[in-house]
Amino acid sequence: MEKSQSAANGEASEYEGRVDVLSPEDLSEVLAAGTKEVHEKAENTQFVKDFLRGRIRKELFKLGAVALFYTYSAMEEEIERNREHPCFAPLYFPQELHRRDALARDLEFFYGPGWRSAVRCSPATRAYVDRIHAVGREDPALLVAHAYTRYMGDLSGGQVLKKVAQRAMKLPPTGEGLEFYTFDNIHSAKAFKQHYRGRMNELELDAETKEKIVAEAVRAFGFNMQVFDELDEIGRSLPEEVMEAGLPVHGEGGDRNQCPYFAAKTAATGGTEYACQVAMAVLRHPTGQVLFAAWVAFMAGFAAWYLM
């Protein structure tokens, strides 16, 4: 077991530049195919679309972090309980992946030292948490589905989401409030994900168990969407905030196409929607407003001169 904890950084380097030969029967491939449709639904929820556009209400972001804290607390409690189970043991990477403590620090930043008495588990999150505990007690092999859905998504799009949230809410550049997105013990997310998927594919599972894991992953996406919808509903009752619209994020390890719940659709629209979003983002920014006003004044002066 100690090997599976410490191997990640050492063994993951072996995956750099390596191309594994995958079979359609491999669990990673079966999961990717089986969750494709629900993944697309999740990435099109209003809450996720608003997040990626930089329209983040701080109160909703805080409530989202609360939901994640309860979700990861349940998942990591069950992972600890089943860390030696043959259907999960190879995927046990607490030092690299576990998020509960990082989320606790984020909640202390947002709510203060007494944060535990200031938060509660919402109904949608409670349903998610109850399912995770049931799986851990009754069928630990299905924990693979929940770990895959959450951890692989966090590693895929975490850096993009971190930059969007940091910019939109003007959070400290030192990372306070966003520790959930920081994996200090993973030096290459790409290599580690490949390593993790390789471990998944080495699990000795029959076809029926793989089908059950896929069905559970679809269910996990559904729970996440219910949490997003719940947050969106809460947002309708909150007063409007002055938000800095999210401009495109590039570089520094962030790939928007790899974001969990996001698929680039600008090619399908010819880029028109994207251009409008950028224009609106510029106009919401004070500097953009000044430049626009100057341009209007110039054009008005030019028109007056031309008509004289």
Side-chain angles (χ1 to χ4, degrees):
M1 190 54 53
E2 181 179 350
K3 181 181 178 182
S4 67
Q5 294 181 34
S6 61
N9 290 329
E11 291 186 19
S13 62
E14 297 178 8
Y15 287 83
E16 291 280 11
R18 171 180 168 181
V19 178
D20 288 335
V21 178
L22 297 174
S23 164
E25 288 76 34
D26 284 342
L27 182 58
S28 64
E29 298 300 289
V30 173
L31 272 169
T35 59
K36 181 179 179 181
E37 182 178 350
V38 70
H39 190 285
E40 291 176 353
K41 289 181 180 178
E43 70 191 9
N44 281 291
T45 58
Q46 191 61 46
F47 178 79
V48 172
K49 290 193 290 187
D50 285 346
F51 195 127
L52 289 164
R53 291 168 181 160
R55 295 190 57 79
I56 307 170
R57 299 187 185 191
K58 193 170 186 178
E59 190 59 34
L60 285 185
F61 186 84
K62 290 161 60 176
L63 292 175
V66 171
L68 288 172
F69 174 78
Y70 284 110
T71 300
Y72 280 91
S73 294
M75 188 167 69
E76 288 164 10
E77 178 183 335
E78 296 304 330
I79 286 173
E80 287 297 325
R81 187 202 309 271
N82 293 283
R83 62 184 180 182
E84 296 182 358
H85 193 285
C87 289
F88 194 85
L91 303 179
Y92 182 64
F93 293 101
Q95 295 178 3
E96 291 78 13
L97 292 176
H98 283 195
R99 300 285 87 201
R100 182 183 59 189
D101 292 345
L103 282 161
R105 292 190 293 272
D106 288 342
L107 293 177
E108 183 173 2
F109 171 80
F110 286 119
Y111 290 97
W115 66 269
R116 289 183 183 274
S117 62
V119 303
R120 67 176 182 86
C121 188
S122 72
T125 306
R126 173 57 59 194
Y128 195 0
V129 164
D130 288 346
R131 178 57 186 172
I132 291 171
H133 283 308
V135 162
R137 290 190 304 266
E138 301 165 10
D139 197 348
L142 300 187
L143 281 175
V144 174
H146 291 277
Y148 165 84
T149 302
R150 287 294 346 165
Y151 291 130
M152 293 299 97
D154 299 332
L155 282 171
S156 294
Q159 291 308 301
V160 171
L161 297 179
K162 178 180 179 180
K163 294 177 197 306
V164 172
Q166 191 172 54
R167 174 178 293 152
M169 295 186 292
K170 299 181 173 63
L171 294 175
T174 46
E176 287 93 335
L178 297 168
E179 291 194 42
F180 167 71
Y181 300 105
T182 302
F183 292 81
D184 288 328
N185 294 319
I186 295 179
H187 304 299
S188 168
K190 180 180 179 181
F192 184 87
K193 286 189 297 180
Q194 192 168 14
H195 178 63
Y196 192 90
R197 292 189 184 106
R199 287 288 186 91
M200 286 173 53
N201 294 336
E202 292 170 4
L203 294 173
E204 296 184 2
L205 305 170
D206 57 31
E208 182 181 358
T209 302
K210 289 181 182 179
E211 289 178 6
K212 289 171 62 179
I213 290 174
V214 172
E216 189 66 23
V218 171
R219 194 168 184 175
F221 272 104
F223 283 120
N224 279 283
M225 285 189 284
Q226 289 170 20
V227 172
F228 296 151
D229 290 343
E230 184 181 63
L231 290 170
D232 194 44
E233 185 66 27
I234 293 172
R236 294 193 183 100
S237 65
L238 295 177
E240 286 290 338
E241 299 175 7
V242 177
M243 293 175 286
E244 181 176 341
L247 295 173
V249 179
H250 299 284
E252 300 181 27
D255 180 0
R256 192 172 183 178
N257 293 308
Q258 294 300 318
C259 185
Y261 318 130
F262 180 77
K265 296 179 175 60
T266 54
T269 61
T272 304
E273 180 182 355
Y274 179 74
C276 290
Q277 290 173 8
V278 172
M280 291 302 297
V282 171
L283 289 177
R284 289 190 188 102
H285 197 282
T287 302
Q289 293 167 5
V290 171
L291 291 173
F292 180 72
W295 179 81
V296 170
F298 170 79
M299 291 303 295
F302 177 78
W305 169 82
Y306 179 78
L307 295 172
M308 286 177 61

